[in-house]
Amino acid sequence: MAKKSVASLQTGSKRLSKAIKMVKSPKSGAYTFVEAILAPEQVNDFLNKK
């Protein structure tokens, strides 16, 4: 199933990347994961943003 979802990200003329970032919650201190599907040029901006 994972292979199918990754393959569907690269259909058509656009290439997309899935970025996953760990974010610490200020209230509880627990870590959560934030996912986004972006163009490869925007991945570094997404990961560097707090």
Side-chain angles (χ1 to χ4, degrees), residues 10-41:
Q10 297 177 0
T11 59
S13 63
K14 290 187 177 182
R15 290 190 52 110
L16 300 174
S17 299
K18 183 175 184 179
I20 303 172
K21 177 171 60 169
M22 264 179 40
V23 178
K24 188 172 184 179
S25 173
K27 289 185 179 181
S28 64
Y31 285 95
T32 59
F33 294 96
V34 178
E35 299 180 10
I37 297 175
L38 307 163
E41 300 84 29

